[in-house]
Amino acid sequence: MTSDHEIKTWNLNTAWLLLFIIIGGAVALYRLSQGLGAATNLNDSYPWGLWLGFDVLGGVAMTAGGFIIAAAIYLFNWKKYQPIIRPALLTAFLGYLMEILAVFLDIGHPFRIWHPAVMWQRHSVMWLVAILVILYTIILTIEASPMLLERLQWNKTRKTLNRIMIGVVILGVMFSVLHQSSLGALFLIAPSKMSPLWFTWFLPYFFLISAVAMGLAMVGAEAMLSAKAFNHKVDDEIFFGLARGLIITLTIYFLLKLYFLITNTGISAAFDGSLGANMYLLEMAGGVVLPLVLLGIKQIRTNLTGIFSVNILVITGVLVNRLNVCLFSMQEYNATQRGADYFPSAMEFMITLGIISFGLLLFKLAAKHLPLFAEA
């Protein structure tokens, strides 16, 4: 299979992506040479900032669509989702590469990033997160490899891989579920610092359920955008099915969040006018309640434009949730107890933009040079 000549490698969009990558790369080199203090506004009270809250926690949630669609096809035999399996897995694979890059830049000694692979700390939740990243990245490499094998015409290797794919998918689902939930478990070690609006023993499950919602929304939005950008057709029933899954997931998430809000702090805590309360209302109203209301309207949940708008709301809502948990949940404690504050530096934003641009460019190159949409 040859390159897709209808996809133009060099155009204005590619030029912008390359510009952001070059700027982000230059800033990354500055960070590596001068340290975190020179490139970021992180401090002892806020050791985790934009890169962890947005790039890692938010980015990992975006990759959940990979294990969801893989499970739907290989484990539940829902073949109608076959046309979007390869883009979903590629998105997940690129998402994990971007997460690794963000972690590499965020840790104090970047070139020790390989240590968790050989220095096992079995009682550390941080080690659990690190080892799951390694394991699931390997699984995603295997799951996404048929595209490359088909491009290289290594048919025997591809057929052999297909025979074990169900086992690989089962491992992928297990590792991804553990990783999504373990990211929430990270914050269970800071009960005195976090606002009760977010802190609960149920936090790992909230991370998992919201990641499923993000995955469904991300797969739908990505499929719509790539269909338009790369001129290929996706059956509308796929988007309707994803929307139905989104309704179920968001309903479960909303009811659980409401229950823990009532039992932890009471509903009034979300309306006290503080920054934390306003951020909580923003994530819940914009990312959960409004999408549910919109999906409850038949004209919207059966309309691609409406579904796309809902997907964007859900994606934004989960990203806000991850930033809330990582940053705003501790804002009151850090401000009153330590007199500390944090806002990302311009360099942090530039590196984040560079990482996102890098992922988008790789996806575009894959769409041109690999049979990314062949399953359609």
Side-chain angles (χ1 to χ4, degrees), residues 18 44 84 124 165 167 204 217 289 294 345 371:
L18 286 174
D44 289 343
I84 61 173
S124 168
M165 190 59 75
V289 177
L294 293 175
S345 68

Side-chain angles (χ1 to χ4, degrees), residues 70 84 116 122 126 153 156 180 209 280 289 331 350:
I84 61 173
R122 295 181 293 107
M126 292 284 285
Q153 297 184 352
K156 290 184 178 180
Q180 297 289 352
I209 298 170
Y280 181 87
V289 177
Q331 188 273 338
M350 286 188 284

Side-chain angles (χ1 to χ4, degrees), residues 109-132:
H109 294 279
F111 296 102
R112 297 180 185 177
I113 193 172
W114 55 274
H115 281 195
V118 295
M119 301 177 183
W120 288 22
Q121 302 291 334
R122 295 181 293 107
H123 300 291
S124 168
V125 68
M126 292 284 285
W127 174 81
L128 175 63
V129 170
I131 204 68
L132 286 172

